[in-house]
Amino acid sequence: MQTSYKADSLTLAGAVAMGTGVMIGAGIFALTGQVAELSGPLFPLAFLLAAVISGFSAYTYIKVSNKYPSAGGIAMILKKAYGSATITGGAALLMAFSMIINESLVARTFATYTLRLFDLENTEILVPVLALALIIFAFLVNIAGNQIIGGLSKIAAIAKIGGILVFATLVLWAAGFSFQPAAAGIAEETSITGFLAGVALAILAFKGFTTITNSGGEVKNPNRNVGRAIMISLTICLVVYMLVAFAVGSTLSISEIVQARDYSLAEAARPAFGEAGIWFTVIIAIIATASGVLASIFAVSRMIAMLTDMKLVPHRHFGMPGNIQTHTLVYTVVAAGTLAAFFDLGRIASMGAIFYLVMDVIIHWGVLRRLRADVGANPVVLICAILFDLIALGAFLMMKAMSDPAIILISAMGIIAIFVFEKYYLSRRRENDGASEANRHG
């Protein structure tokens, strides 16, 4: 059974809309409060440094994708770097799971913001219910095909970027365009470790550019447009993030941001614009998070389908109709829905950051060791990308070891389980392939 990728089905604008759809959905609404909690008053700079690190990471993906565009971009990079080895399938699954984690993170953010419109005291049950509803809706839209996804992504991208810029401008205007932290937050002390941990979490706000890499085989003129789409998306998101970070930081103290960390943008609109500001912000949040889940599910399902084609993961259709892409959409939705139902925003984000940074280091190392001459990559840039990732990951693990060591254990067990599973599957597949070959010649 083969997947059915449609070459040239995504334009440059569609690819940019997809990338910004994932990034802005996660970065602004889901992570602003959590990054501020770790980085203190310097949290706008954490987003800026995260953008720089993501730019170094993007260099690797762009160099390889320009020469070898593929609908399973990251899996393709890993296979060319490491062959059909355990590390290839394991690292690709880490990326897939980090994307699924991102979907559940954004889905819960959607639910949290939506419920701000209603005066409800107990929302513990409603948050996962609304998150699951959004994930199911995104599944149905993805089933409809690329043209529907591209059209909705473009509309959502324009609406949410325009709305967020209006929000940031109005809030900054109300604060006198001071670009200064609210007075109550200035005294907050921020350690270097805490700041770097915030940077590690903020990197999640930019990793959506890999969505474009994973859809490279479906982008028009991919050798040129994949790299352009990635850089345009990163630039747009950096501008939007910085404006919003300054707007929130100029209106709320760090303690107020932390208190409302799951819906900090809505609270930032309250002092100047009251309930009207909250309603406007929540509507933009709903659009942003919904489009983020939509774009992310599209990308991860294509990636898992490519892993299936590459025989790096097993496939079972369980009696479902349709092709592999349809089946991987179902698997993606089930996994994201499970995480959204049972994990809170903080832990979901932590797992996503750990999984992604580990995978990113593996990618850079493979390109540095085996592909840099083939794709014309500068080794200095690759080494910097690895060092930046390791520094951010180390600081993040140190902070979590003090505040939530359980999530480190859960993440470590997850990584080990992924690689053990991949090792077992590849060993069994090779044994079966060898037996089949012997039977043919017997």
Side-chain angles (χ1 to χ4, degrees), residues 34-77:
Q34 296 186 49
V35 173
E37 184 176 15
L38 291 169
S39 298
L42 299 178
F43 77 94
L45 294 181
F47 278 106
L48 178 60
L49 185 54
V52 173
I53 294 174
S54 297
F56 276 86
S57 290
Y59 174 84
T60 302
Y61 295 85
I62 291 172
K63 279 294 186 180
V64 181
S65 295
N66 281 349
K67 187 166 185 177
Y68 302 108
S70 165
I74 290 172
M76 175 275 298
I77 295 172

Side-chain angles (χ1 to χ4, degrees), residues 197-247:
V199 171
L201 204 56
I203 289 173
L204 281 182
F206 294 95
K207 82 176 187 69
F209 75 82
T210 58
T211 301
I212 301 169
T213 307
N214 287 334
S215 301
E218 297 171 287
V219 176
K220 291 183 179 179
N221 192 10
N223 302 83
R224 181 183 181 189
N225 283 339
V226 169
R228 291 173 65 194
I230 288 173
M231 295 313 298
I232 292 170
S233 297
L234 285 173
T235 302
I236 290 172
C237 289
L238 174 60
V239 172
V240 172
Y241 290 173
M242 294 305 294
L243 285 174
V244 171
F246 279 120

Side-chain angles (χ1 to χ4, degrees), residues 331-387:
Y331 306 152
T332 301
V333 165
V334 170
T338 301
L339 284 171
F342 296 106
F343 284 83
D344 64 25
L345 282 173
R347 285 192 159 181
I348 290 173
S350 297
M351 288 177 62
I354 294 169
F355 278 30
Y356 174 74
L357 288 170
V358 170
M359 182 283 308
D360 205 43
V361 170
I362 293 172
I363 287 269
H364 298 316
W365 178 251
V367 174
L368 176 65
R369 288 290 304 275
R370 302 181 182 181
L371 293 178
R372 70 175 187 271
D374 183 31
V375 301
N378 187 324
V380 175
V381 178
L382 298 176
I383 292 170
C384 287
I386 293 172
L387 291 177

Side-chain angles (χ1 to χ4, degrees), residues 93-154:
L93 284 175
L94 280 181
M95 182 63 202
F97 275 107
S98 76
M99 295 170 72
I100 291 171
I101 289 167
N102 178 74
E103 291 160 18
S104 61
L105 170 72
V106 179
R108 284 191 72 104
T109 303
F110 163 85
T112 302
Y113 271 85
T114 300
L115 291 172
R116 300 304 298 170
L117 298 176
F118 308 97
D119 186 16
L120 300 173
E121 294 183 0
N122 192 345
T123 60
E124 286 83 0
I125 296 177
L126 292 177
V127 167
V129 169
L130 283 177
L132 288 172
L134 174 60
I135 291 171
I136 293 171
F137 169 76
F139 166 75
L140 295 175
V141 174
N142 270 273
I143 288 293
N146 287 10
Q147 290 184 342
I148 299 295
I149 298 168
L152 285 178
S153 294
K154 289 176 187 177

